């Protein structure tokens, strides 16, 4: 049976590829083909190994120990059902990003800043998922963070990119510190940092509360939980598009893995209130993430904010699983955890697809600003079709995969009346309402993203010269589009596959789905609810085909072309179209006063003058201004006051060292 030791060789191969890229990356064209071909091959080989394990025995763990890491402990690695699932996501995402990079990488202006860190980033994510002790986990986590930071800083001469890299590095360091403290509490006074020892140890309620809070800070900051999300909409757009797809579609899922590993596996039985805390932050993240996305006109920033919303959906499902598990409701807990894991898989599909589509638009036009795009459907028809599939999938519309996982989450919410605590009875329906609101806003957001970018008339000269992208990029997009459809019409295969993950963590699983008639899926029992993606797909396909036939058969055969109505203005120009900002105006007026402190100011010209009227919109990032700017000002103030310390004489430095030594000795002497 393939085990952890076999996968460690793939990690070594990725690190070797990174070393090779250092020497070869100056030869841009050949190096691009070589490095991405190697990472594609290694990721595909890992997927084959994992497929063999899933077919053989996905439940029995496989372990390996290397003589590295902490003395007398070594570096422990473990391959079980949970890590197998997330390794599939990491390496499938890596394979698709590598395939996309074979074409997209030819347009990279600084390949020597990207190629060495791309395989290193993949190696770091694999190591995090395989790690089976705290030291190895944290070391791998930091390696993953630094490799991704280097990719964000690839175009560091851009001031916005440099700022994004700085904020990302600060938040990553803060997250790692929180994880370090969480593992320290789990290790206890004995200091045994292996995960196996943490599983068998018992935690007091106070330790459980601190570990949950620290994991929300550590893993939540990497995943993009509000209010720890501030780095994500800066860093993801700054990175190359295939790296953005990995960071958004895969790296945030590695953070979700870290949270599940600690809270569901290492910490033991959760208290019921832990579900309330996770539900609160998940619901808040889902709504605020999609509201921020709706206000954006930068296509990649919109997709980055949308990632925050989807992370919120995942954490809502995880909060439900914690609440049900704490109240001995294993069937409902298995349903909620399956919904979370299914959405993890789905988001890796459609978010990678959408970032690839955004990268294709950027390659063809040189623009990310939707206000300067439009009309690309006639110039990039294949890209526009693949991007449309991603928009429908992420909007949770049937028959695509996003609908299934969110439907499962709502089915779990409907089990909340059986919960005994009134806090959960109130919190779960309230979060269900937030989840429904975020789903509706997501549909509006991606109508805007697709419509403004691909429909209408070109808004700039760059769009007039756009053309379809290379076959490698298209192949990666269409593979992901096909998987979005397949996971939506055959979800029973995925749900049954996830049963090997939920069984060890929850002690239960959803009913066997492939045994249901007509390939339906049944969350709890057929008498309560069911869904059949295949029948929905066939109905939509038949209805659309019949409607198209009737229209073409019985409507007028004459093709008539005419200008679009321009609201009474005689000269139809591209600037008279809807823009990304105007599309979001109604929603901004509903939510903007509270969420963004938005203000609109109209400047009207005097009667008789021919100048234009102007509308000014002022918006604020309240979380950044109220939480992070005061911290930044305090740090600046402290560093300014302490700056003179670097100009002390050697005698004063020795005096300071001596005083600190005295203080430390006093602390040790007085410590009980």
């Amino acid at each position: 049976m393939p085990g952890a030791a076999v996968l460690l060789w793939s990690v070594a191969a990725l690190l070797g590829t990174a070393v090779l890229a250092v020497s070869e990356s100056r030869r841009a064209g050949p190096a691009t083909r070589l490095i991405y071909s190697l990472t594609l091959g290694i990721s595909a080989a890992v997927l084959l190994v994992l497929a063999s394990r899933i077919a053989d025995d996905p439940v029995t763990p496989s372990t390996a120990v290397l003589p590295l890491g902490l003395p007398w402990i070594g570096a422990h690695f473990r391959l079980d059902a949970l890590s197998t699932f997330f390794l599939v996501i990491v390496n499938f995402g890596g394979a698709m990003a590598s395939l996309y990079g074979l074409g997209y990488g030819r347009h990279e202006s600084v390949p020597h800043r990207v190629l060495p860190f791309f395989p290193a980033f993949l190696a770091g994510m694999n190591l995090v998922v395989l790690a089976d002790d705290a030291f190895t986990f944290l070391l791998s986590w930091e390696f993953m963070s630094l490799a991704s930071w280097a990719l964000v800083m690839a175009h560091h001469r851009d001031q916005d990119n440099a700022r994004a890299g700085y904020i990302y590095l600060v938040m990553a360091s803060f997250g790692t510190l929180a994880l370090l403290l969480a593992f320290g509490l789990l290790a206890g006074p004995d200091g045994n940092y292996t995960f196996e020892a943490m599983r068998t140890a018992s935690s007091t309620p106070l330790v459980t509360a601190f570990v949950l809070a620290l994991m929300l800070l550590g893993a939540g900051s990497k995943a993009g939980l509000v209010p720890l999300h501030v780095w994500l909409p800066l860093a993801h757009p700054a990175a190359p598009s295939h790296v953005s797809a990995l960071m958004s579609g895969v790296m945030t899922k590695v953070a979700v893995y870290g949270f599940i590993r600690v809270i569901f596996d290492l910490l033991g039985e959760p208290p019921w209130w832990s579900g309330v805390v996770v539900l609160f932050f998940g619901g808040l993240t889902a709504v605020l993430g999609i509201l921020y996305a709706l206000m954006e006109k930068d296509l990649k920033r919109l997709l980055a904010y949308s990632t925050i919303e989807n992370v919120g959906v995942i954490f809502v499902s995880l909060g439900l699983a914690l609440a049900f598990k704490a109240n001995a409701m294993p069937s409902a807990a298995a349903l909620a955890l399956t919904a979370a894991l299914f959405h993890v898989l789905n988001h890796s599909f459609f978010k990678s697809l959408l970032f690839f589509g955004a990268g294709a638009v950027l390659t063809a036009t040189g623009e990310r600003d939707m206000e300067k795009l439009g009309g690309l459907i006639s110039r990039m028809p294949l890209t526009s079709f693949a991007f449309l599939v991603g928009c429908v999938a992420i909007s949770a519309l049937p028959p695509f995969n996003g609908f299934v996982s969110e439907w499962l989450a709502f089915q779990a919410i409907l089990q909340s009346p059986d919960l005994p605590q009134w806090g959960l009875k109130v919190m779960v329906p309230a979060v269900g309402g937030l989840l429904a609101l975020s789903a509706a806003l997501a549909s509006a957001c991606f109508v805007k993203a697709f419509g403004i970018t691909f429909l209408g008339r070109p808004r700039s000269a760059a769009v007039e010269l756009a053309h379809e992208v290379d076959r490698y990029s298209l192949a990666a997009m269409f593979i992901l589009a096909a998987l979005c459809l397949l996971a939506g019409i055959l979800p029973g295969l995925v749900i049954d596959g996830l049963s090997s993950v939920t069984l060890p963590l929850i002690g239960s699983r959803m009913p066997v789905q492939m045994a249901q008639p007509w390939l339906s899926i049944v969350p709890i029992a057929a008498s309560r609810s069911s869904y059949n993606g295949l029948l929905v797909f066939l109905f939509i396909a038949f209805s659309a085909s019949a409607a198209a036939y009737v229209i073409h058969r019985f409507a007028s055969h004459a093709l008539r072309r005419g200008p679009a109505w321009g609201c009474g203005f005689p000269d139809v120009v591209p600037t008279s179209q809807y823009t990304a900002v105007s599309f979001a105006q109604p929603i901004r007026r509903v939510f903007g006063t509270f969420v963004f402190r938005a203000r609109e100011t109209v400047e009207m010209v005097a009667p008789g003058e021919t100048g234009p009227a102007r509308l000014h919109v002022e918006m604020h990032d309240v979380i950044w201004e109220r939480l992070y700017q005061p911290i930044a000002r305090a740090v600046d103030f402290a560093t300014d006051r302490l700056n003179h310390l670097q100009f002390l004489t050697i005698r004063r430095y020795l005096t300071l060292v001596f005083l600190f030594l005295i203080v430390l000795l006093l602390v040790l002497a007085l410590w009980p």
Side-chain angles (χ1 to χ4, degrees):
M1 180 180 65
V6 176
L7 295 180
L8 289 176
W9 283 108
S10 68
V11 173
L14 287 170
L15 294 175
T17 303
V19 174
L20 177 64
V22 173
S23 60
E24 296 291 326
S25 58
R26 292 290 179 177
R27 303 188 304 119
T32 296
R33 291 191 295 271
L34 174 63
I35 300 305
Y36 288 126
S37 296
L38 286 173
T39 54
L40 174 59
I42 295 168
S43 298
V46 172
L47 289 174
L48 290 175
V49 171
L50 295 173
S52 173
R53 175 181 173 81
I54 293 171
D56 184 11
D57 183 8
V59 177
T60 305
S62 171
T63 60
V65 181
L66 297 181
L68 305 170
L70 292 176
W72 304 292
I73 294 179
H76 294 250
F77 300 93
R78 188 172 189 260
L79 182 65
D80 56 11
L82 180 63
S83 56
T84 298
F85 171 70
F86 279 92
L87 283 172
V88 168
I89 291 175
V90 169
N91 289 282
F92 182 79
M96 290 299 99
S98 300
L99 178 60
Y100 185 86
L102 285 171
Y104 180 84
R106 294 182 300 179
H107 307 283
E108 178 58 60
S109 58
V110 285
H112 59 283
R113 298 187 183 277
V114 176
L115 293 178
F117 300 105
F118 183 82
F121 183 31
L122 291 177
M125 290 191 289
N126 276 280
L127 283 172
V128 170
V129 179
L130 283 170
D132 196 36
D133 66 76
F135 180 81
T136 305
F137 185 97
L138 290 171
L139 186 65
S140 304
W141 185 277
E142 274 294 272
F143 183 75
M144 173 187 74
S145 299
L146 290 173
S148 56
W149 170 80
L151 291 166
V152 169
M153 292 292 289
H155 302 277
H156 65 283
R157 298 187 187 280
D158 187 318
Q159 186 175 359
D160 290 338
N161 290 3
R163 177 172 176 264
Y166 172 73
I167 293 174
Y168 176 40
L169 195 61
V170 171
M171 292 301 295
S173 302
F174 169 76
T176 304
L177 175 61
L179 291 176
L180 175 64
L181 296 175
F183 284 125
L185 289 173
L186 287 171
D190 295 334
N192 196 331
Y193 287 95
T194 63
F195 287 175
E196 188 61 38
M198 293 178 185
R199 285 187 189 92
T200 58
S202 59
S203 300
T204 65
L206 183 61
V207 169
T208 299
F210 274 112
V211 170
L212 177 64
L214 290 168
M215 288 306 301
L216 284 171
L217 290 174
S221 64
K222 185 70 74 179
L225 273 181
V226 171
L228 305 168
H229 67 287
V230 291
W231 66 271
L232 197 146
L234 300 174
H236 287 202
S241 294
H242 59 311
V243 175
S244 300
L246 274 181
M247 293 179 69
S248 182
V250 178
M251 187 182 73
T252 55
K253 309 307 171 299
V254 174
V256 172
Y257 163 81
F259 183 84
I260 295 174
R261 175 63 75 189
V262 172
I263 302 302
F264 284 83
D265 185 22
L266 305 183
L267 193 56
E269 289 298 317
W272 70 268
W273 52 260
S274 62
V276 175
V277 175
V278 178
L279 278 167
F280 172 78
F281 284 104
L284 182 69
T285 299
V287 173
L288 289 183
I290 200 62
L291 281 173
Y292 277 107
L294 264 164
M295 300 303 114
E296 273 297 329
K297 62 179 183 177
D298 184 307
L299 184 57
K300 289 184 71 174
R301 280 176 63 90
L302 181 150
L303 295 178
Y305 275 122
S306 169
T307 295
I308 297 171
E309 182 251 343
N310 282 275
V311 166
V313 173
I314 293 168
F315 272 84
V316 165
S317 298
L318 292 176
L320 288 168
L322 284 172
F324 291 133
K325 183 180 180 182
N327 286 285
M329 299 171 61
S331 297
L335 170 59
L337 184 58
T338 301
L341 295 174
F342 204 158
H343 203 73
V344 165
L345 179 67
N346 289 339
H347 186 253
S348 70
F349 287 164
F350 51 64
K351 187 49 63 70
S352 297
L353 168 59
L354 291 169
F355 266 113
F356 289 166
V361 170
L362 181 60
T363 299
T365 65
E367 290 289 348
R368 290 176 0 203
D369 188 349
M370 289 186 286
E371 310 282 58
K372 299 178 182 178
L373 298 172
L376 286 173
I377 192 170
S378 59
R379 292 161 177 81
M380 305 174 68
L382 297 177
T383 297
S384 64
F385 177 78
F387 196 89
L388 177 62
V389 170
C391 290
V392 175
I394 200 172
S395 300
L397 297 176
F400 290 94
N401 56 347
F403 173 81
V404 181
S405 52
E406 292 203 24
W407 181 78
L408 290 175
F410 281 111
Q411 293 301 313
I413 288 171
L414 294 177
Q415 310 303 313
S416 63
D418 296 331
L419 291 167
Q421 296 88 6
W422 277 103
L424 287 170
K425 286 180 179 290
V426 173
M427 176 62 74
V428 175
V431 171
L434 293 178
L435 206 60
L437 175 62
S438 69
L441 293 175
S443 298
C445 177
F446 284 94
V447 167
K448 162 186 162 178
F450 183 81
I452 303 299
T453 303
F454 291 96
L455 303 182
R457 299 174 63 188
R459 295 178 176 84
S460 67
V463 178
E464 299 280 0
L465 303 176
H467 56 81
E468 197 58 86
V469 291
D470 59 275
R471 63 184 185 275
Y472 296 110
S473 301
L474 290 172
M477 287 189 281
F478 273 89
I479 290 172
L480 290 168
L483 288 172
C484 288
L485 179 61
L486 287 174
I489 63 177
L490 298 173
L493 289 170
V494 180
I495 293 172
D496 286 345
L498 291 173
S499 63
S500 62
V501 184
T502 59
L503 272 171
L505 298 176
I506 301 296
S508 182
R509 54 164 293 171
M510 286 180 60
V512 178
Q513 304 298 315
M514 296 309 293
Q516 304 297 327
W518 298 97
L519 297 177
S520 297
I521 59 172
V522 177
I524 300 292
S527 59
R528 303 185 67 170
S529 61
S530 63
Y531 169 73
N532 193 302
L534 182 59
L535 290 181
V536 170
F537 170 69
L538 293 175
F539 173 76
I540 292 174
F542 174 78
S543 302
S545 301
Y549 173 77
V550 169
I551 292 171
H552 286 285
R553 177 68 178 83
F554 297 105
S556 172
H557 296 288
L559 181 65
R560 292 169 293 180
R561 293 184 181 274
W565 184 63
C567 301
F569 291 92
D571 298 326
V572 181
V573 294
T575 54
S576 66
Q577 302 176 103
Y578 261 99
T579 64
V581 174
S582 62
F583 188 98
Q585 184 191 55
I587 297 173
R588 185 179 69 241
R589 287 180 171 176
V590 173
F591 296 100
T593 304
F594 174 70
V595 178
F596 307 107
R597 291 196 299 148
R599 290 184 58 192
E600 295 182 0
T601 305
V602 179
E603 295 181 3
M604 298 296 296
V605 297
E609 295 186 7
T610 59
R614 299 187 182 277
L615 172 67
H616 297 281
V617 179
E618 179 185 351
M619 295 179 61
H620 299 269
D621 189 336
V622 178
I623 293 176
W624 176 263
E625 293 177 358
R626 296 287 178 87
L627 179 60
Y628 291 97
Q629 278 190 350
I631 295 174
R633 285 195 291 265
V635 171
D636 289 341
F637 176 83
T639 52
D640 287 341
R641 296 298 182 274
L642 297 174
N643 189 46
H644 69 280
L645 290 178
Q646 64 178 316
F647 302 108
L648 298 179
T649 63
I650 187 65
R651 286 181 297 175
R652 291 181 177 179
Y653 278 128
L654 291 174
T655 303
L656 282 176
V657 171
F658 177 74
L659 290 175
F660 274 111
L661 181 61
I662 296 296
V663 170
L664 287 174
L665 290 173
L666 287 174
V667 170
L668 290 175
L670 297 175
W671 192 267

